């Protein structure tokens, strides 16, 4: 079989027909038909795909993880579902119900997505990932989930809208300059303005393109975070106004691959390390407030930093993002963090640090607690709006510093306590959270406004964690 794990994605699984999506304003079915016709006249085969939601947490909880995923857990995913792009297998198999997020790409092929950007939210990014690669030394196909460079995000997207939200967009994914130019020309002939056309390059110099047992496999996904209106966000995810096409030349031509694109540069030179003394003071005040308890520090560290690093080393980062900086703590062994944390009824965590949104180093900042041995699903989370004033009780004599910091509690028994994240998971009978549930933590820092990419490690003051218990560590 040329491409492994291709599955028939029936309409019942998808939830709707590929052509049932709503059209972007002024871009009705005639424009899509004109685009297809222009490409066909230019000697391309054009086959429709589909965009659809992927909620790994829900699918693990309901034992419905799709067959193209080679694992039985939720991959430390957050609770907000992604959109993935379903692609027809090839030009010779154009059936619209036979699409998969896992696909191969010829050196002169393109994937094209046309429609609307998401409704207002704190962050979105459109990503191309290398998903698997053939390892000739071991004779196996190796799993990867590594970015191929920068995403198109809410700060960089090309559109004619007044904002980056609910606005017309077209995205071309290809490795070839000639194909990109011809697809772009077809879009413009169909009435789509050049101002909405974005290109994400599949860099041929680092990829094994083509259709074979040893060619690379890819995934295209759209990440979303913190909808301004949850109802609007849910509607976008469940019925995405996006149209997908695989575009394949009928005849071979002399290729003209894009050079490796320049990457957006992380960092501004302005570091949060200047707040180190305030962070130490916050720690002292937290310890003083819990002086009758035993404490144990839980180390945090950088994880999932750069896709190119993981590609070179042949290690699966499980979905890195250049738009982000991740930290982990507790038990997240896949990222080198092996401190097994559990919480009895009378134990809790204090998570504290710089509010990276308040310091200007991120567009959004979240803390996520996972059941990391069973399911790798989130069982508690907090996002930066919840951090506001959470450090004031500790830094009461320095309100300016308090606004730049946060301190939240994580417990299995929050009750009505403010600034406390309860450990719980809704609609997941498969998982029971108890005193033996092993916990891991992920800190997500997305999109530094000044650079339009993720923050850089030396400019970030690491989030910190302390476990408090009435018993000494040896008895916990």
């Amino acid at each position: 079989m040329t491409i492994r794990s291709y599955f028939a994605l029936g309409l019942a699984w998808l939830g709707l027909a590929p052509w049932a999506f709503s059209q972007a304003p002024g871009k009705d079915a005639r424009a899509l038909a004109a685009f297809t016709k222009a490409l066909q006249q230019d000697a391309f085969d054009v086959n429709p795909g589909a965009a659809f939601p992927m909620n790994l947490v829900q699918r693990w909880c309901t034992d419905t993880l799709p067959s193209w995923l080679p694992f039985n857990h939720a991959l430390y995913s957050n609770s907000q579902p992604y959109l993935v792009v379903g692609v027809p297998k090839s030009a010779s198999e154009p059936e619209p119900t036979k699409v998969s997020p896992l696909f191969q790409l010829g050196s002169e092929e393109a994937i094209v997505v046309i429609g609307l950007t998401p409704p207002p939210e704190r962050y979105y990014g459109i990503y191309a990932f290398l998903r698997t690669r053939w390892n000739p030394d071991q004779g196996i196909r190796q799993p990867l989930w590594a970015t191929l460079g920068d995403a198109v995000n809410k700060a960089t997207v090309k559109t004619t809208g007044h904002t980056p939200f609910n606005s017309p967009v077209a995205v071309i994914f290809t490795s070839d300059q000639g194909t990109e130019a011809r697809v772009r020309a077809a879009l413009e002939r169909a009435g789509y303005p050049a101002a909405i056309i974005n290109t994400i390059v599949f860099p041929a110099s680092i990829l094994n393109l083509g259709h074979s047992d040893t060619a690379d496999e890819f995934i295209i996904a759209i990440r979303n975070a913190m909808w301004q209106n949850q109802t609007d966000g849910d509607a976008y995810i469940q019925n995405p106004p996006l149209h997908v096409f695989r575009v394949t030349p009928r005849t071979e031509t002399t290729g003209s691959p894009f050079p490796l694109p320049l990457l957006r540069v992380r960092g501004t030179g302005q570091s949060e390390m200047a707040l180190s003394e305030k962070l130490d003071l916050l720690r002292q005040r937290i310890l003083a407030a819990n002086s009758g308890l035993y404490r144990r520090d839980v180390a945090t560290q950088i994880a999932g930093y750069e896709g190119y690093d993981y590609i070179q080393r042949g290690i699966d980062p499980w979905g890195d993002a250049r738009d982000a900086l991740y930290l982990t703590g507790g038990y997240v062994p896949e990222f080198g963090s092996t401190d097994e944390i559990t919480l009895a009824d009378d134990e809790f965590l204090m998570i504290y640090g710089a509010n990276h949104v308040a310091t200007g180093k991120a567009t959004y900042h979240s803390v996520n607690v996972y059941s990391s041995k069973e399911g790798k699903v989130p069982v508690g989370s907090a996002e930066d709006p919840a951090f506001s004033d959470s450090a004031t009780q500790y830094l009461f004599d320095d309100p300016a510093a308090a606004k730049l910091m946060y301190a939240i509690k994580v417990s299995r028994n929050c009750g009505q306590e403010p600034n406390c994240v309860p450990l719980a998971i809704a609609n997941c009978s498969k998982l029971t959270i108890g005193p033996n549930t092993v916990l891991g933590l992920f800190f997500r820092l997305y999109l530094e406004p000044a650079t339009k990419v993720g923050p850089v490690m030396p400019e970030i003051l690491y989030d910190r964690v302390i476990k408090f218990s009435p018993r000494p560590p040896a008895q916990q």
Side-chain angles (χ1 to χ4, degrees):
M1 188 172 180
T2 304
I3 301 180
R4 298 167 62 252
S5 304
Y6 246 90
F7 65 99
L9 188 63
L11 299 186
W13 192 94
L14 200 61
L16 50 133
W19 292 102
F21 306 131
S22 59
Q23 301 289 336
K27 303 299 178 188
D28 58 12
R30 290 189 298 274
L32 294 168
F35 168 64
T36 300
K37 183 177 180 180
L39 284 174
Q40 291 170 338
Q41 290 175 339
D42 196 16
F44 284 102
D45 288 320
V46 185
N47 296 314
F52 55 91
M54 178 55 63
N55 188 331
L56 294 180
V57 177
Q58 179 189 63
R59 291 196 170 277
W60 180 81
C61 287
T62 56
D63 288 319
T64 57
L65 285 169
S67 60
W68 53 269
L69 291 176
F71 46 77
N72 186 30
H73 52 73
L75 202 74
Y76 298 113
S77 178
N78 59 39
S79 57
Q80 301 184 58
Y82 294 170
L83 282 177
V84 290
V85 172
V87 177
K89 181 177 178 180
S90 69
S92 61
E93 298 183 51
E95 295 179 50
T97 56
K98 283 190 175 180
V99 298
S100 172
L102 189 67
F103 66 94
Q104 293 183 331
L105 191 71
S107 60
E108 295 176 57
E109 286 189 296
I111 308 301
V112 184
V113 178
I114 304 171
L116 285 178
T117 60
E121 57 182 327
R122 191 74 72 81
Y123 171 81
Y124 69 79
I126 305 169
Y127 288 83
F129 294 96
L130 172 60
R131 184 63 190 94
T132 75
R133 168 161 284 180
W134 178 255
N135 186 323
D137 295 331
Q138 299 181 28
I140 60 171
R141 183 165 286 278
Q142 182 175 353
L144 289 165
W145 202 310
T147 50
L148 296 179
D150 285 315
V152 169
N153 61 46
K154 75 162 199 174
T156 64
V157 66
K158 295 178 181 177
T159 179
T160 54
H162 297 297
T163 76
F165 308 112
N166 286 326
S167 296
V169 69
V171 187
I172 305 169
F173 302 83
T174 188
S175 70
D176 189 74
Q177 297 181 76
T179 296
E180 194 273 350
R182 293 163 68 187
V183 171
R184 180 178 290 267
L187 283 166
E188 293 185 37
R189 285 199 299 274
Y192 297 98
I196 74 167
I197 302 175
N198 303 258
T199 299
I200 293 181
V201 173
F202 278 50
S205 59
I206 65 170
L207 299 176
N208 302 314
L209 296 168
H211 295 269
S212 72
D213 290 335
T214 58
D216 292 338
E217 294 176 326
F218 307 100
I219 281 179
I220 295 169
I222 303 175
R223 282 181 161 118
N224 302 276
M226 297 177 64
W227 301 106
Q228 182 174 307
N229 181 296
Q230 188 64 45
T231 299
D232 292 344
D234 291 343
Y236 185 88
I237 293 293
Q238 295 303 319
N239 190 21
L242 299 170
H243 299 268
V244 179
F245 304 90
R246 180 191 278 276
V247 177
T248 307
R250 294 195 199 106
T251 58
E252 291 187 10
T253 60
T254 301
S256 178
F258 279 100
L260 190 73
L262 296 176
L263 297 175
R264 293 193 287 274
V265 178
R266 293 181 186 251
T268 64
Q270 184 70 36
S271 176
E272 292 176 342
M273 292 297 289
L275 295 171
S276 293
E277 289 185 2
K278 299 299 181 183
L279 182 62
D280 290 340
L281 177 60
L282 177 58
R283 170 185 167 77
Q284 293 169 16
R285 299 277 176 83
I286 291 172
L287 293 178
N290 298 281
S291 59
L293 300 173
Y294 293 94
R295 56 96 173 167
R296 178 165 71 87
D297 290 288
V298 178
T300 56
Q301 62 185 40
I302 295 292
Y305 194 44
E306 292 278 355
Y308 285 173
D309 166 68
Y310 286 95
I311 291 172
Q312 290 185 73
R313 294 189 290 138
I315 298 173
D316 188 353
W318 286 12
D320 70 287
R322 290 211 77 245
D323 282 351
L325 186 71
Y326 301 136
L327 293 94
T328 57
Y331 191 73
V332 191
E334 297 83 1
F335 295 94
S337 185
T338 57
D339 189 354
E340 295 197 18
I341 305 172
T342 58
L343 289 181
D345 290 346
D346 53 1
E347 297 175 328
F348 61 91
L349 303 178
M350 285 300 300
I351 302 177
Y352 66 103
N355 179 338
H356 304 297
V357 173
T359 65
K361 303 305 288 185
T363 297
Y364 94 86
H365 172 199
S366 66
V367 176
N368 303 272
V369 185
Y370 289 86
S371 168
S372 51
K373 278 194 173 180
E374 187 176 4
K376 305 188 191 302
V377 292
V379 294
S381 64
E383 295 166 330
D384 59 86
F387 300 163
S388 178
D389 296 326
S390 63
T392 300
Q393 64 176 308
Y394 305 105
L395 299 175
F396 50 85
D397 51 352
D398 193 343
K403 290 183 181 298
L404 299 177
M405 297 289 177
Y406 78 98
I408 59 173
K409 183 177 181 178
V410 173
S411 171
R412 291 178 48 234
N413 298 286
C414 281
Q416 299 301 313
E417 186 175 352
N419 303 316
C420 185
V421 176
L423 294 185
I425 185 168
N427 303 315
C428 190
S429 59
K430 188 175 177 179
L431 177 65
T432 299
I433 302 169
N436 296 318
T437 301
V438 177
L439 306 175
L441 298 109
F442 255 90
F443 302 85
R444 290 178 167 91
L445 291 63
Y446 265 83
L447 206 65
E448 185 170 10
T451 60
K452 303 179 182 180
V453 71
V456 67
M457 179 269 291
E459 296 178 8
I460 294 300
L461 202 56
Y462 287 10
D463 301 62
R464 296 185 183 182
V465 183
I466 306 173
K467 177 179 176 179
F468 287 98
S469 174
R471 292 171 294 282
Q475 299 177 24
Q476 294 176 22

